[in-house]
Amino acid sequence: MERSIQVENLGKRYRLGVINRGMLYKDIQSWWAKVRGEDDPNTPVHIAQSRPDMTGQEFWAFRDVSFGVKRGEILGIIGRNGAGKSTLLKVLSQITAPTEGQYKLNGRVASLLEVGTGFHGELTGRENIFLNGAILGMSRAEVREKFDEIVEFAEVAQFIDTPVKRYSSGMYVRLAFSVAAHLQPDILIVDEVLAVGDAAFQKKCLGRMNEAAYKEGRTILFVSHNMTSVRNLCTRAIILKQGKLVADGNAGDMVDRYLEEGSQHAGHVGGDQRAGSGRLRVTAVDFEASDGRRIEELPAGQPVTVRIRYAADGLKPSDSVIAGIGVVSSEEAVFNNYSNYSGTVFRELPKTGSFAFEWISVDLVPGQYQLVVRIVANGDHHAGEVLDMPAPISFHVAPADYYGTGRNVGLGFGVSLVRGKWSCLG
C-alpha cells in the first residue's frame, strides 16, 4: 500500500540561550560566563542534569527517528512529557525545519497542534473556515460544499460571524478540529489539543477521525496522553523516549508496554525545578489503584492512592511535618488537601519512607491535570518551613461509568463531578 508519510533519520536540535532575554545586563552575564567557561547563570534549566544528550547550550528534541505510515493508517505517538512528540509533529507540519534527516508527505496536510492553529483572531469563524480551505488549496466552491457540515459538527452556528478572538478555548478547538477534519486533507496531524474539549466532544472527534481513516482513506498522526483513546483509535503506535524512537508496533501492544514501563518508573521527580530547604526530598510520586497496582490514568469516580516517596536525611526528631497535594486544571486550581486538615501531623519520620493520600473518589471531569506536592515542617502550609516542592506532575483522568448507569454520560461539563440522588415529592 502507498506510503503517505516516510520519515528517515529525522532530528531536530535546539540551541538554548541564543535568544536574548530582553535585559542587557543578563545578556552580558551570559556572554561573560561563556567566555570564562562557566555555567550560564540565566539558563532556565540545569542542562547537565535534565537531559544526558544535552551538551553546552544545545539539545536534541529528537534524533534518528525513522518510520513510515501507510495511506488510511492511524498512527499513535506516545511518550512522556519532553519525549519530543510535539516537536516531531511541528516538523512534519512544516512549522519548523529539521536539523538532519528527511521526510516525505504525499498529499495535503492539515494540523491541529495548539488551540487556534491556523486561525486569525480578528477574522470571524466563517472567514477562518474559508481561509483554512485556501491554505489547503481548496476552491471557495469546495469549502462552501463542506461549510454547513463543519459548522454543525463544531456546534458554533450562533457565533459563526463573531471574531474568533472572542471564542472560548473550547469553541476554538471545536471549530479548528472541524475545519481540519472536514476540508478533506490527505494527512491529518492532531496533538494533545483535544484534551481542552469536554468528554462528549472528544468522543465525537475520535469518531470523526475513525471515519476519515477507515471510510475515506486518510492518514492520521495522533498524539495523546489518553492511552484509552490511543488503544481504541489507532491501528499502530510508536513510543518516543528522550527523543529516541524506542518501539513501533500494534497500538494495543505499545500502550501495554508504555504503561508497564511507566509503572516501573512512575512519577520519579528530580532536578533543580523545585523549591524548599531540601532537608526532606520527594523522590517519587505514584498513583496506585485499590489493589496496590501503579497506574498511569486515574478512572473518574474510582479510589486512588497518591504515594509520595521521600528521603529525609536532614530532619530532626523534634520536627513536625505535614504533607499536602494540590490539583490544577489547565485553567484554574481545583483543590488542595494537607494532612493537618484532618488532624494528621507526622513526627519522628524514618529516613526513607512514603506519605499516602487516600483519594476516596476521583471526582474530576476526564481530561489532563497537574498534581502539585508540597511538604512543610514546623507550622501550617502558610507559615511553616517548606521542605520540598518539586515541579508539578501531569496526570490524566479517564472516562468511566461514574454514575453507575453503564454509560459514560454527564462527564463533559465543568471540572468536578458530583454524585447525588434525585426525587420528586407530590
Side-chain angles (χ1 to χ4, degrees), residues 29-39:
Q29 279 183 337
S30 299
W31 171 80
W32 184 239
K34 184 176 180 180
V35 169
R36 299 174 64 183
E38 298 175 351
D39 289 339

Side-chain angles (χ1 to χ4, degrees), residues 57-68:
Q57 296 294 303
E58 299 180 347
F59 81 97
W60 289 87
F62 64 88
R63 194 174 194 184
D64 197 25
V65 171
S66 300
F67 62 89

Side-chain angles (χ1 to χ4, degrees), residues 28 35 60 78 105 116 141 158 181 189 199 217 268 288 308 338-339 393:
I28 294 173
V35 169
W60 289 87
I78 56 182
L105 306 174
Q158 183 179 354
I189 299 176
H268 285 266
E288 299 175 355
I308 305 167
Y338 282 83
S339 61
I393 297 165

Side-chain angles (χ1 to χ4, degrees), residues 203-268:
K203 185 177 180 180
K204 191 175 179 180
C205 291
L206 295 177
R208 174 59 192 148
M209 286 190 283
N210 203 309
E211 179 182 321
Y214 299 127
K215 291 185 179 180
E216 301 170 11
R218 311 196 189 285
T219 302
I220 297 174
L221 295 186
F222 180 61
V223 166
S224 178
H225 287 99
N226 187 332
M227 294 300 105
T228 302
S229 296
V230 173
R231 191 190 299 274
N232 293 337
L233 177 68
C234 301
T235 51
R236 181 171 140 239
I238 61 175
I239 300 176
L240 292 183
K241 184 176 181 180
Q242 292 187 333
K244 304 290 185 182
L245 196 160
V246 296
D248 182 342
N250 173 271
D253 294 339
M254 294 299 99
V255 168
D256 290 341
R257 172 171 172 172
Y258 174 71
L259 293 178
E260 182 180 351
E261 291 180 353
S263 66
Q264 292 172 358
H265 306 287
H268 285 266

Side-chain angles (χ1 to χ4, degrees), residues 70-228:
K70 298 176 182 177
R71 183 175 179 271
E73 190 173 25
I74 305 180
L75 178 70
I77 303 176
I78 56 182
R80 294 188 174 278
N81 292 335
K85 307 183 298 299
S86 295
T87 307
L88 174 61
L89 294 194
K90 287 179 180 178
V91 170
L92 296 180
S93 299
Q94 303 175 73
I95 293 173
T96 186
T99 304
E100 63 181 20
Q102 58 186 354
Y103 64 93
K104 184 177 181 181
L105 306 174
N106 295 318
R108 295 187 298 204
V109 180
S111 302
L112 190 60
L113 306 183
E114 297 174 356
V115 175
T117 298
F119 278 11
H120 191 297
E122 299 295 334
L123 300 181
T124 66
R126 183 187 302 274
E127 291 166 335
N128 272 295
I129 292 174
F130 282 95
L131 174 63
N132 272 257
I135 291 172
L136 286 172
M138 301 178 69
S139 67
R140 289 186 63 85
E142 289 177 304
V143 177
R144 196 175 293 113
E145 181 182 345
K146 291 285 185 179
F147 184 85
D148 290 341
E149 189 177 348
I150 291 170
V151 175
E152 181 182 358
F153 186 94
E155 302 171 6
V156 295
Q158 183 179 354
F159 308 100
I160 197 62
D161 290 311
T162 300
V164 297
K165 68 180 181 180
R166 299 198 178 102
Y167 284 15
S168 68
S169 59
M171 292 167 63
Y172 237 125
V173 169
R174 290 203 302 272
L175 185 58
F177 177 84
S178 188
V179 169
H182 287 87
L183 289 185
Q184 300 181 326
D186 300 297
I187 301 169
L188 178 60
I189 299 176
V190 182
D191 204 345
E192 189 66 39
V193 66
L194 292 184
V196 175
D198 59 39
F201 178 70
Q202 289 180 36
K203 185 177 180 180
K204 191 175 179 180
C205 291
L206 295 177
R208 174 59 192 148
M209 286 190 283
N210 203 309
E211 179 182 321
Y214 299 127
K215 291 185 179 180
E216 301 170 11
R218 311 196 189 285
T219 302
I220 297 174
L221 295 186
F222 180 61
V223 166
S224 178
H225 287 99
N226 187 332
M227 294 300 105
T228 302

Side-chain angles (χ1 to χ4, degrees), residues 397-410:
V397 175
D401 182 14
Y402 182 83
Y403 295 103
T405 61
R407 299 175 297 152
N408 294 344
V409 296

